[in-house]
Amino acid sequence: MNPLSLVESGSVWLAFMLALIKGERRRSREQSAAFLRLYRAMETGYTLPPLQGDPVGDSTTLGELREDWARVTDTIRTPEPDDADPIRIDGDFDWPEEPVESFDRAAVASLVSQGPAKVREQVAQAAQEQARGRLDDAGFLEELESVHASAGTQAANAADREAIRSGRDLIDRASQEDKRAVGWARVTDGNPCAFCAMLASRGAIYRSKATAAGGGRRKPVGSADGRNPRNRRPPVALEDLTRYHNGCHCQMVPVYSRNDFMTPDAKRYSREWDQVAGKLSGAEARAAWRRHIESNRS
């Protein structure tokens, strides 16, 4: 964006970014549907209808679901021994519609606040700090370059979040309508923040009662997470699992069994919580956990 014409150049930038995000939202939605259909089939032996069009018959195969996943993710699929296994399609399910206008408004608000508005605010501040704010002043020009780099990074993270909003929303709303889903859990990306790692460490929250396995559930007296309220892990709610920040690639996923849902990373975070924050509570526990995670992030 041109600092001398933020309104004009910002409008052009915003229009371009919004068009880009709309395309990526569609891709995110297609990928999320393909993931959910395959994941559900592997967990339960039943899947959902295609996102678009009517299913051919009342069943499919694992191989066909894997082919669909490979197609929407542009990946090469290796044949699996169970590709021919039949998978029943639950026909009494309708995919939720994408709230396009709502998502467009959210994208515009996020992009403007992290892009043009951020640049305008920081350019004005730089002009004050550099006295006259002249474009031939070396200090001011250096500050302008820093402002644009910072705003570019923040706007890119905001755009990334908006691009995958539709896929996250699809999994969230579809799984809440899915009669076979018994709960939900948070799965992290490879470099989560402290909040996301904490959510993953709690395991699953179940539909019948907002109790996370390993979190709200009480363990025997004397354990690291025993009945002493001071040592009990703070519970999480379904609303927590759907909270995401800019730059976050974590995901809420449905759970189809009441067995504890813990990925290898979630089990590791659970052990580390006991070691780092298990004897603390409240703000002290959260601060200790945040220091631990931040010190190990790449």
Side-chain angles (χ1 to χ4, degrees):
M1 289 179 289
N2 187 340
L4 297 180
S5 58
L6 284 177
V7 174
E8 294 80 2
S9 61
S11 297
V12 173
W13 173 82
L14 181 61
F16 172 80
M17 290 299 298
L18 189 58
L20 180 64
I21 285 172
K22 285 183 175 181
E24 291 303 304
R25 278 205 324 244
R26 287 192 295 270
R27 194 158 71 100
S28 171
R29 183 175 168 86
E30 291 175 356
Q31 291 179 350
S32 293
F35 159 77
L36 191 56
R37 295 186 73 219
L38 176 58
Y39 168 62
R40 189 180 189 268
M42 297 179 71
E43 290 290 308
T44 69
Y46 294 83
T47 191
L48 300 171
L51 179 62
Q52 298 175 341
D54 296 324
V56 179
D58 57 2
S59 67
T60 183
T61 66
L62 274 179
E64 290 174 340
L65 294 173
R66 287 175 176 138
E67 288 288 347
D68 189 40
W69 168 251
R71 177 184 59 81
V72 298
T73 56
D74 295 323
T75 55
I76 298 175
R77 189 177 80 82
T78 302
E80 300 288 346
D82 58 354
D83 277 348
D85 286 3
I87 302 296
R88 298 283 296 180
I89 298 175
D90 285 334
D92 57 341
F93 177 86
D94 293 319
W95 291 98
E97 294 291 332
E98 180 184 23
V100 176
E101 293 184 0
S102 173
F103 286 176
D104 285 350
R105 288 194 298 270
V108 169
S110 182
L111 290 171
V112 169
S113 66
Q114 298 304 312
K118 188 78 67 176
V119 170
R120 181 181 300 108
E121 174 187 345
Q122 294 181 352
V123 165
Q125 181 179 350
Q128 291 179 350
E129 293 175 352
Q130 297 295 334
R132 297 179 302 278
R134 290 163 49 114
L135 289 180
D136 60 353
D137 182 273
F140 182 61
L141 290 176
E142 183 178 348
E143 190 70 20
L144 274 182
E145 184 176 352
S146 175
V147 164
H148 276 264
S150 175
T153 298
Q154 294 181 62
N157 284 333
D160 175 76
R161 179 180 181 180
E162 295 305 322
I164 58 181
R165 178 186 291 274
S166 187
R168 283 171 165 165
D169 174 77
L170 182 74
I171 290 179
D172 176 14
R173 292 198 290 148
S175 63
Q176 292 197 48
E177 296 298 324
D178 188 351
K179 297 177 182 178
R180 296 187 185 275
V182 299
W184 297 268
R186 185 69 163 254
V187 176
T188 65
D189 60 18
N191 192 32
C193 69
F195 176 72
C196 293
M198 181 276 293
L199 291 179
S201 76
R202 297 301 186 260
I205 290 177
Y206 294 102
R207 194 188 291 270
S208 60
K209 188 176 182 180
T211 300
R217 182 184 61 189
R218 294 183 175 184
K219 293 187 177 181
V221 175
S223 68
D225 190 27
R227 295 180 183 275
N228 185 342
R230 178 178 174 81
N231 294 332
R232 192 181 309 155
R233 300 181 189 182
V236 296
L238 180 59
E239 292 75 17
D240 294 324
L241 299 186
T242 58
R243 289 170 57 190
Y244 305 102
H245 55 82
N246 289 349
C248 173
H249 291 143
C250 301
Q251 175 65 52
M252 182 192 78
V253 297
V255 174
Y256 294 100
S257 170
R258 288 194 176 275
N259 295 328
D260 286 359
F261 180 92
M262 297 288 279
T263 66
D265 282 341
K267 291 178 181 178
R268 174 167 60 84
Y269 293 137
S270 180
R271 292 192 300 269
E272 291 177 358
W273 176 278
D274 288 340
Q275 296 166 0
V276 172
K279 295 183 180 180
L280 304 174
S281 64
E284 291 182 343
R286 292 191 295 272
W289 179 247
R290 184 169 56 252
R291 289 193 298 269
H292 168 70
I293 293 298
E294 293 301 323
S295 67
N296 289 283
R297 293 188 77 187
S298 58

